Amino acid sequence: MRILVLGGDGYLGWPTALHLSQRGHDVGVVDNLVRRHYDDEMGVSSIVPIRQLQRRVATWKEVSGNTIVPLIGDLNDHAFVLSTLKTFEPEAIVHFAEQRSAPYSMIDREHAVYTQVNNVVGTLNLLYAIAELNPDIHLVKLGTMGEYGAPNIEIEEGFIEITHKGRTDVLPFPKQPASFYHLSKVHDSHNIMFACRIWGLRSTDLNQGIVYGQSTPETAMHPDLETRYDYDAVFGTVLNRFCVQAAVGYPLTVYGKGGQTRAMLDIRDTLACVELTCLNPPAAGEYRVFNQFTESHSVRDLAEKVVKVAPFDVRIESIPDPRVEKEEHYYSAVTTKLPALGLQPHLLSEETIGSLIEIAGRHKHRVNVEAIRPTVNWRTTRSEVSVSGGAVGE
Amino acid sequence: MRILVLGGDGYLGWPTALHLSQRGHDVGVVDNLVRRHYDDEMGVSSIVPIRQLQRRVATWKEVSGNTIVPLIGDLNDHAFVLSTLKTFEPEAIVHFAEQRSAPYSMIDREHAVYTQVNNVVGTLNLLYAIAELNPDIHLVKLGTMGEYGAPNIEIEEGFIEITHKGRTDVLPFPKQPASFYHLSKVHDSHNIMFACRIWGLRSTDLNQGIVYGQSTPETAMHPDLETRYDYDAVFGTVLNRFCVQAAVGYPLTVYGKGGQTRAMLDIRDTLACVELTCLNPPAAGEYRVFNQFTESHSVRDLAEKVVKVAPFDVRIESIPDPRVEKEEHYYSAVTTKLPALGLQPHLLSEETIGSLIEIAGRHKHRVNVEAIRPTVNWRTTRSEVSVSGGAVGE
């Protein structure tokens, strides 16, 4: 298939592009490279060094013989979106190209507005371009399990049958997102569902859990092909961050009680889910939602698993929760659609945690421990976030 | 009370400002006057002539002795929002200041993006300013019954208790909005709910039905105080538009089967609902939703009522529905909270319809019949909308 990966220079976009290319698809990568700019803005960096996109695709050509077309531009530029789709003629578009950090969106008004406008307008431009050029293009959109929040009922895959006062309907699952970033994804979901309805577009919304892991079969083929590994409080997600903290002997910072339970998956399962989704498109006019995760864990349980695997003593430190969220709650979510398409999950193993700690250990001279503690507080309208000293290493 | 009316130069904002002023409140009106620009863009105008905002407030001062402070500026300009709130020190803010036409938002990509960015960013700026300056300010936000769409179950006021697989929770009522405009209101609702949760703000979301009527006790006090009366297919809402069509002998254009059923209310009830809401603020941190309507009618029933009242022969013409919507459907919505606060509804009467036809008849030389037929088609990504000849009259 001809597949465009939007946001293909990022943590998941890049390994997804490699995986699809390795599996024989014709892949183009679209990115405005702003993720690298966020690092500069925050004074942080990936603990594993990453190459520029041009070098990445050149090395991939050398290593695999396959071509990935790099297309540098911004989804907020509609003329760029139109010309890119016209030239590449994709059958599927995998859309990772959004500002994806909850803390980043909560820094202040400017970052909240940026996140919502960037994400919502980029997706609107894409919907219009698909409708204008070829409504059969399958839009595979990365959503998040965070759109649902933590309701006291089981989370279904996008829709729920409700019986109320003797009448029944199947309606969109109610959303309770917990940051301006998560809200932007909810806005997107509503816009995409509507575009499918009025223009007959085909879209799959992948409501993804928190991804952990750093190495995939393709990124492991050459150091130039490695993907990001973030540990800072703004872009580092929970399990990856704990493994870096363990590697540098920094206490594992659990926010509040640590009973926050989240859906999760291995980075290799993200790649498999995306390919399975591309290979099995929805009908014309269909908007469907897949819950993309393999298991759920509480933050406290994750910390305990890391403590157990770490080859040296690490302690857990509970710190005040910078977010406004339930610190203990019911959590159960359904995921049946991706397994039905053939997903074979990599469940969280001590081996994976050990490997993440090992990778972090190899690069630990690049860690700036100042970047680990959360500085963005949900309760205030403006947080100070710059890390003194900036990122370390190279 | 000290009350700021945002969008106070518009169809409902202006009579609301007059009503609140007449009832003894200290009122400021904020508007960027863009509604007048939309008229120029579309080549249409209100059938009843309206004065500039400066003349309106000057005449109001002469007629009533009361001062309304006009504040010209844009909610998308955060510095303006901050300085306005700092200077005026409102206890309540009534927020009408959004692009409010579904067809306008569906003209093309530019109008869709404009509508969502304008509405969402304006409201975000307001939420941040309130949180920064005085979280006790009560934000009275105009939403729409159109946020809910037309589900096959009864529509509750914002939230619904759901029992699912043996567990129960009260969750936001699922939303199925049917235009990029209605989507912008859903995005707002989610953002406001979240801001109340994290910052302890107080807000009431008034999910309003379609308003009909043109005259209120205050606008009737002087011709300079009249409010808009729109009949064009982009900004004219259903019953007002039918009354103008009847007055000029133009067939009543029912879209499709006409079984589309909508919640509605009299313009005088809008004013009463807004004041009742201001006088009864929610608790700190509370986000509540009132369904603001008094009765429901199908479009076909409304057309038949107008035919019956019209003093001369008018016929009904069914035209292809330019919108993507159900043309026949179940519709039932709850409204108990505003009546519980004391709302005494003006139900739709033949007298009101007759009065609307009479007002339109007085100004019928100003009608450009070319503006009546819908030109914006939901199924295409770009519609041509300019009315040749432009608006007629003065």
mmCIF file of all heavy atoms in Angstrom, chain A residues 294-328:
data_model
loop_
_atom_site.group_PDB
_atom_site.id
_atom_site.type_symbol
_atom_site.label_atom_id
_atom_site.label_comp_id
_atom_site.label_asym_id
_atom_site.label_seq_id
_atom_site.Cartn_x
_atom_site.Cartn_y
_atom_site.Cartn_z
ATOM 1 N N THR A 294 -2.968 -3.063 25.355
ATOM 2 C CA THR A 294 -2.949 -4.514 25.603
ATOM 3 C C THR A 294 -3.180 -4.870 27.067
ATOM 4 O O THR A 294 -3.585 -5.982 27.375
ATOM 5 C CB THR A 294 -1.593 -5.123 25.171
ATOM 6 O OG1 THR A 294 -0.553 -4.485 25.913
ATOM 7 C CG2 THR A 294 -1.354 -4.911 23.675
ATOM 8 N N GLU A 295 -2.909 -3.934 27.979
ATOM 9 C CA GLU A 295 -3.117 -4.217 29.401
ATOM 10 C C GLU A 295 -3.183 -2.904 30.180
ATOM 11 O O GLU A 295 -2.797 -1.866 29.657
ATOM 12 C CB GLU A 295 -2.002 -5.110 29.959
ATOM 13 C CG GLU A 295 -0.612 -4.570 29.730
ATOM 14 C CD GLU A 295 0.490 -5.623 29.955
ATOM 15 O OE1 GLU A 295 0.387 -6.394 30.922
ATOM 16 O OE2 GLU A 295 1.450 -5.642 29.154
ATOM 17 N N SER A 296 -3.676 -2.982 31.417
ATOM 18 C CA SER A 296 -3.769 -1.779 32.248
ATOM 19 C C SER A 296 -2.944 -1.945 33.515
ATOM 20 O O SER A 296 -2.866 -3.049 34.072
ATOM 21 C CB SER A 296 -5.227 -1.523 32.650
ATOM 22 O OG SER A 296 -6.008 -1.281 31.503
ATOM 23 N N HIS A 297 -2.323 -0.870 33.947
ATOM 24 C CA HIS A 297 -1.527 -0.885 35.176
ATOM 25 C C HIS A 297 -1.735 0.407 35.939
ATOM 26 O O HIS A 297 -1.933 1.456 35.327
ATOM 27 C CB HIS A 297 -0.030 -1.012 34.853
ATOM 28 C CG HIS A 297 0.335 -2.281 34.175
ATOM 29 N ND1 HIS A 297 0.448 -3.478 34.845
ATOM 30 C CD2 HIS A 297 0.591 -2.559 32.875
ATOM 31 C CE1 HIS A 297 0.765 -4.437 33.982
ATOM 32 N NE2 HIS A 297 0.860 -3.915 32.773
ATOM 33 N N SER A 298 -1.612 0.325 37.260
ATOM 34 C CA SER A 298 -1.582 1.558 38.037
ATOM 35 C C SER A 298 -0.142 2.066 38.042
ATOM 36 O O SER A 298 0.824 1.301 37.865
ATOM 37 C CB SER A 298 -2.071 1.330 39.464
ATOM 38 O OG SER A 298 -1.079 0.660 40.217
ATOM 39 N N VAL A 299 0.005 3.368 38.250
ATOM 40 C CA VAL A 299 1.335 3.977 38.277
ATOM 41 C C VAL A 299 2.184 3.352 39.397
ATOM 42 O O VAL A 299 3.379 3.085 39.220
ATOM 43 C CB VAL A 299 1.178 5.502 38.458
ATOM 44 C CG1 VAL A 299 2.520 6.160 38.728
ATOM 45 C CG2 VAL A 299 0.513 6.106 37.223
ATOM 46 N N ARG A 300 1.551 3.080 40.520
ATOM 47 C CA ARG A 300 2.274 2.483 41.652
ATOM 48 C C ARG A 300 2.791 1.093 41.290
ATOM 49 O O ARG A 300 3.937 0.743 41.576
ATOM 50 C CB ARG A 300 1.328 2.413 42.858
ATOM 51 C CG ARG A 300 1.959 2.044 44.171
ATOM 52 C CD ARG A 300 0.929 2.156 45.295
ATOM 53 N NE ARG A 300 -0.325 1.532 44.888
ATOM 54 C CZ ARG A 300 -1.545 2.094 45.045
ATOM 55 N NH1 ARG A 300 -1.674 3.248 45.643
ATOM 56 N NH2 ARG A 300 -2.626 1.462 44.619
ATOM 57 N N ASP A 301 1.946 0.307 40.623
ATOM 58 C CA ASP A 301 2.373 -1.035 40.200
ATOM 59 C C ASP A 301 3.554 -0.962 39.245
ATOM 60 O O ASP A 301 4.481 -1.785 39.312
ATOM 61 C CB ASP A 301 1.228 -1.785 39.503
ATOM 62 C CG ASP A 301 0.146 -2.200 40.493
ATOM 63 O OD1 ASP A 301 0.382 -2.082 41.717
ATOM 64 O OD2 ASP A 301 -0.929 -2.624 40.029
ATOM 65 N N LEU A 302 3.511 0.000 38.334
ATOM 66 C CA LEU A 302 4.618 0.150 37.380
ATOM 67 C C LEU A 302 5.912 0.467 38.124
ATOM 68 O O LEU A 302 6.965 -0.108 37.829
ATOM 69 C CB LEU A 302 4.319 1.261 36.374
ATOM 70 C CG LEU A 302 3.202 0.974 35.365
ATOM 71 C CD1 LEU A 302 2.877 2.246 34.577
ATOM 72 C CD2 LEU A 302 3.577 -0.162 34.415
ATOM 73 N N ALA A 303 5.816 1.376 39.097
ATOM 74 C CA ALA A 303 7.010 1.737 39.872
ATOM 75 C C ALA A 303 7.560 0.499 40.581
ATOM 76 O O ALA A 303 8.776 0.250 40.601
ATOM 77 C CB ALA A 303 6.671 2.847 40.866
ATOM 78 N N GLU A 304 6.660 -0.295 41.148
ATOM 79 C CA GLU A 304 7.110 -1.492 41.865
ATOM 80 C C GLU A 304 7.776 -2.504 40.927
ATOM 81 O O GLU A 304 8.752 -3.157 41.302
ATOM 82 C CB GLU A 304 5.934 -2.125 42.626
ATOM 83 C CG GLU A 304 5.654 -1.353 43.922
ATOM 84 C CD GLU A 304 4.280 -1.614 44.535
ATOM 85 O OE1 GLU A 304 3.560 -2.505 44.026
ATOM 86 O OE2 GLU A 304 3.926 -0.902 45.502
ATOM 87 N N LYS A 305 7.242 -2.620 39.722
ATOM 88 C CA LYS A 305 7.862 -3.530 38.748
ATOM 89 C C LYS A 305 9.281 -3.069 38.407
ATOM 90 O O LYS A 305 10.202 -3.881 38.272
ATOM 91 C CB LYS A 305 7.034 -3.568 37.452
ATOM 92 C CG LYS A 305 5.817 -4.483 37.502
ATOM 93 C CD LYS A 305 5.070 -4.446 36.165
ATOM 94 C CE LYS A 305 3.627 -4.865 36.306
ATOM 95 N NZ LYS A 305 3.433 -6.291 36.640
ATOM 96 N N VAL A 306 9.452 -1.760 38.248
ATOM 97 C CA VAL A 306 10.779 -1.226 37.902
ATOM 98 C C VAL A 306 11.747 -1.452 39.061
ATOM 99 O O VAL A 306 12.897 -1.859 38.862
ATOM 100 C CB VAL A 306 10.691 0.268 37.524
ATOM 101 C CG1 VAL A 306 12.081 0.882 37.350
ATOM 102 C CG2 VAL A 306 9.871 0.434 36.235
ATOM 103 N N VAL A 307 11.274 -1.213 40.292
ATOM 104 C CA VAL A 307 12.120 -1.444 41.475
ATOM 105 C C VAL A 307 12.598 -2.893 41.496
ATOM 106 O O VAL A 307 13.768 -3.188 41.764
ATOM 107 C CB VAL A 307 11.340 -1.122 42.768
ATOM 108 C CG1 VAL A 307 12.066 -1.665 43.998
ATOM 109 C CG2 VAL A 307 11.126 0.389 42.884
ATOM 110 N N LYS A 308 11.693 -3.793 41.171
ATOM 111 C CA LYS A 308 12.011 -5.221 41.240
ATOM 112 C C LYS A 308 13.071 -5.609 40.207
ATOM 113 O O LYS A 308 13.957 -6.424 40.483
ATOM 114 C CB LYS A 308 10.713 -6.021 40.995
ATOM 115 C CG LYS A 308 10.859 -7.501 41.239
ATOM 116 C CD LYS A 308 9.523 -8.209 41.173
ATOM 117 C CE LYS A 308 9.758 -9.702 40.955
ATOM 118 N NZ LYS A 308 8.728 -10.324 40.140
ATOM 119 N N VAL A 309 12.987 -5.026 39.025
ATOM 120 C CA VAL A 309 13.891 -5.418 37.938
ATOM 121 C C VAL A 309 15.232 -4.693 38.011
ATOM 122 O O VAL A 309 16.261 -5.226 37.579
ATOM 123 C CB VAL A 309 13.221 -5.144 36.569
ATOM 124 C CG1 VAL A 309 14.167 -5.431 35.421
ATOM 125 C CG2 VAL A 309 11.940 -5.966 36.425
ATOM 126 N N ALA A 310 15.240 -3.469 38.561
ATOM 127 C CA ALA A 310 16.462 -2.650 38.554
ATOM 128 C C ALA A 310 17.611 -3.405 39.223
ATOM 129 O O ALA A 310 17.427 -4.004 40.285
ATOM 130 C CB ALA A 310 16.213 -1.323 39.267
ATOM 131 N N PRO A 311 18.808 -3.377 38.638
ATOM 132 C CA PRO A 311 19.940 -4.139 39.159
ATOM 133 C C PRO A 311 20.581 -3.503 40.396
ATOM 134 O O PRO A 311 21.547 -4.017 40.919
ATOM 135 C CB PRO A 311 20.921 -4.155 37.978
ATOM 136 C CG PRO A 311 20.574 -2.956 37.154
ATOM 137 C CD PRO A 311 19.123 -2.688 37.369
ATOM 138 N N PHE A 312 20.040 -2.368 40.848
ATOM 139 C CA PHE A 312 20.557 -1.726 42.059
ATOM 140 C C PHE A 312 19.379 -1.102 42.799
ATOM 141 O O PHE A 312 18.261 -1.050 42.266
ATOM 142 C CB PHE A 312 21.613 -0.671 41.711
ATOM 143 C CG PHE A 312 21.400 -0.063 40.359
ATOM 144 C CD1 PHE A 312 20.460 0.931 40.150
ATOM 145 C CD2 PHE A 312 22.131 -0.546 39.260
ATOM 146 C CE1 PHE A 312 20.245 1.454 38.893
ATOM 147 C CE2 PHE A 312 21.903 -0.021 37.987
ATOM 148 C CZ PHE A 312 20.965 0.980 37.798
ATOM 149 N N ASP A 313 19.626 -0.630 44.011
ATOM 150 C CA ASP A 313 18.532 -0.114 44.848
ATOM 151 C C ASP A 313 17.921 1.165 44.281
ATOM 152 O O ASP A 313 18.634 2.125 43.990
ATOM 153 C CB ASP A 313 19.053 0.205 46.262
ATOM 154 C CG ASP A 313 18.960 -1.031 47.147
ATOM 155 O OD1 ASP A 313 18.482 -2.073 46.641
ATOM 156 O OD2 ASP A 313 19.359 -0.941 48.311
ATOM 157 N N VAL A 314 16.604 1.156 44.124
ATOM 158 C CA VAL A 314 15.882 2.361 43.733
ATOM 159 C C VAL A 314 14.729 2.497 44.697
ATOM 160 O O VAL A 314 14.117 1.496 45.069
ATOM 161 C CB VAL A 314 15.283 2.242 42.318
ATOM 162 C CG1 VAL A 314 14.799 3.603 41.831
ATOM 163 C CG2 VAL A 314 16.257 1.635 41.353
ATOM 164 N N ARG A 315 14.434 3.724 45.117
ATOM 165 C CA ARG A 315 13.274 3.850 45.983
ATOM 166 C C ARG A 315 12.150 4.612 45.273
ATOM 167 O O ARG A 315 12.382 5.279 44.267
ATOM 168 C CB ARG A 315 13.630 4.491 47.328
ATOM 169 C CG ARG A 315 14.060 5.910 47.268
ATOM 170 C CD ARG A 315 14.554 6.419 48.624
ATOM 171 N NE ARG A 315 15.001 7.792 48.455
ATOM 172 C CZ ARG A 315 14.195 8.850 48.479
ATOM 173 N NH1 ARG A 315 12.907 8.718 48.704
ATOM 174 N NH2 ARG A 315 14.678 10.077 48.297
ATOM 175 N N ILE A 316 10.948 4.459 45.823
ATOM 176 C CA ILE A 316 9.777 5.137 45.274
ATOM 177 C C ILE A 316 9.472 6.330 46.154
ATOM 178 O O ILE A 316 9.482 6.216 47.383
ATOM 179 C CB ILE A 316 8.568 4.170 45.230
ATOM 180 C CG1 ILE A 316 8.857 3.030 44.242
ATOM 181 C CG2 ILE A 316 7.288 4.906 44.872
ATOM 182 C CD1 ILE A 316 7.822 1.919 44.245
ATOM 183 N N GLU A 317 9.245 7.487 45.537
ATOM 184 C CA GLU A 317 8.924 8.687 46.304
ATOM 185 C C GLU A 317 7.575 9.231 45.829
ATOM 186 O O GLU A 317 7.404 9.519 44.657
ATOM 187 C CB GLU A 317 10.020 9.748 46.066
ATOM 188 C CG GLU A 317 9.790 11.013 46.868
ATOM 189 C CD GLU A 317 10.764 12.141 46.465
ATOM 190 O OE1 GLU A 317 11.782 11.857 45.805
ATOM 191 O OE2 GLU A 317 10.454 13.307 46.792
ATOM 192 N N SER A 318 6.641 9.343 46.775
ATOM 193 C CA SER A 318 5.348 9.922 46.407
ATOM 194 C C SER A 318 5.458 11.436 46.487
ATOM 195 O O SER A 318 5.901 11.985 47.497
ATOM 196 C CB SER A 318 4.263 9.414 47.354
ATOM 197 O OG SER A 318 3.081 10.157 47.123
ATOM 198 N N ILE A 319 5.098 12.114 45.416
ATOM 199 C CA ILE A 319 5.128 13.578 45.426
ATOM 200 C C ILE A 319 3.714 14.090 45.138
ATOM 201 O O ILE A 319 2.889 13.359 44.600
ATOM 202 C CB ILE A 319 6.136 14.139 44.388
ATOM 203 C CG1 ILE A 319 5.744 13.727 42.960
ATOM 204 C CG2 ILE A 319 7.551 13.657 44.697
ATOM 205 C CD1 ILE A 319 6.592 14.393 41.895
ATOM 206 N N PRO A 320 3.417 15.333 45.543
ATOM 207 C CA PRO A 320 2.054 15.850 45.308
ATOM 208 C C PRO A 320 1.705 15.777 43.821
ATOM 209 O O PRO A 320 2.545 16.091 42.979
ATOM 210 C CB PRO A 320 2.139 17.306 45.781
ATOM 211 C CG PRO A 320 3.312 17.346 46.706
ATOM 212 C CD PRO A 320 4.281 16.325 46.202
ATOM 213 N N ASP A 321 0.501 15.353 43.525
ATOM 214 C CA ASP A 321 0.089 15.191 42.127
ATOM 215 C C ASP A 321 -0.050 16.567 41.473
ATOM 216 O O ASP A 321 -0.876 17.374 41.900
ATOM 217 C CB ASP A 321 -1.245 14.428 42.062
ATOM 218 C CG ASP A 321 -1.562 13.931 40.662
ATOM 219 O OD1 ASP A 321 -1.007 14.481 39.694
ATOM 220 O OD2 ASP A 321 -2.378 12.999 40.544
ATOM 221 N N PRO A 322 0.738 16.851 40.432
ATOM 222 C CA PRO A 322 0.610 18.160 39.768
ATOM 223 C C PRO A 322 -0.637 18.249 38.902
ATOM 224 O O PRO A 322 -1.012 19.329 38.456
ATOM 225 C CB PRO A 322 1.868 18.233 38.895
ATOM 226 C CG PRO A 322 2.214 16.811 38.601
ATOM 227 C CD PRO A 322 1.781 16.014 39.810
ATOM 228 N N ARG A 323 -1.262 17.110 38.648
ATOM 229 C CA ARG A 323 -2.462 17.096 37.808
ATOM 230 C C ARG A 323 -3.714 17.112 38.672
ATOM 231 O O ARG A 323 -3.667 16.712 39.831
ATOM 232 C CB ARG A 323 -2.486 15.832 36.936
ATOM 233 C CG ARG A 323 -1.238 15.668 36.095
ATOM 234 C CD ARG A 323 -1.380 14.525 35.107
ATOM 235 N NE ARG A 323 -0.155 14.402 34.305
ATOM 236 C CZ ARG A 323 -0.097 13.850 33.103
ATOM 237 N NH1 ARG A 323 -1.179 13.344 32.550
ATOM 238 N NH2 ARG A 323 1.035 13.786 32.434
ATOM 239 N N VAL A 324 -4.818 17.523 38.096
ATOM 240 C CA VAL A 324 -6.108 17.377 38.761
ATOM 241 C C VAL A 324 -6.716 16.098 38.216
ATOM 242 O O VAL A 324 -7.151 16.036 37.068
ATOM 243 C CB VAL A 324 -7.022 18.589 38.485
ATOM 244 C CG1 VAL A 324 -8.392 18.377 39.113
ATOM 245 C CG2 VAL A 324 -6.367 19.874 39.000
ATOM 246 N N GLU A 325 -6.677 15.035 39.013
ATOM 247 C CA GLU A 325 -7.163 13.728 38.559
ATOM 248 C C GLU A 325 -7.473 12.880 39.773
ATOM 249 O O GLU A 325 -7.042 13.182 40.884
ATOM 250 C CB GLU A 325 -6.096 13.038 37.690
ATOM 251 C CG GLU A 325 -4.796 12.738 38.445
ATOM 252 C CD GLU A 325 -3.671 12.163 37.582
ATOM 253 O OE1 GLU A 325 -3.878 11.946 36.374
ATOM 254 O OE2 GLU A 325 -2.582 11.916 38.136
ATOM 255 N N LYS A 326 -8.239 11.814 39.570
ATOM 256 C CA LYS A 326 -8.490 10.872 40.649
ATOM 257 C C LYS A 326 -7.229 10.046 40.879
ATOM 258 O O LYS A 326 -6.663 9.494 39.939
ATOM 259 C CB LYS A 326 -9.639 9.934 40.271
ATOM 260 C CG LYS A 326 -10.991 10.623 40.158
ATOM 261 C CD LYS A 326 -12.058 9.615 39.718
ATOM 262 C CE LYS A 326 -13.306 10.320 39.206
ATOM 263 N NZ LYS A 326 -14.004 9.529 38.177
ATOM 264 N N GLU A 327 -6.811 9.941 42.151
ATOM 265 C CA GLU A 327 -5.591 9.186 42.442
ATOM 266 C C GLU A 327 -5.878 7.711 42.718
ATOM 267 O O GLU A 327 -4.950 6.901 42.827
ATOM 268 C CB GLU A 327 -4.844 9.832 43.612
ATOM 269 C CG GLU A 327 -4.339 11.225 43.246
ATOM 270 C CD GLU A 327 -3.658 11.962 44.398
ATOM 271 O OE1 GLU A 327 -3.301 11.305 45.402
ATOM 272 O OE2 GLU A 327 -3.506 13.190 44.301
ATOM 273 N N GLU A 328 -7.140 7.372 42.877
ATOM 274 C CA GLU A 328 -7.583 5.972 43.000
ATOM 275 C C GLU A 328 -8.923 5.908 42.288
ATOM 276 O O GLU A 328 -9.767 6.764 42.511
ATOM 277 C CB GLU A 328 -7.841 5.568 44.470
ATOM 278 C CG GLU A 328 -6.687 5.724 45.415
ATOM 279 C CD GLU A 328 -5.798 4.496 45.491
ATOM 280 O OE1 GLU A 328 -5.989 3.565 44.647
ATOM 281 O OE2 GLU A 328 -4.921 4.476 46.376
#
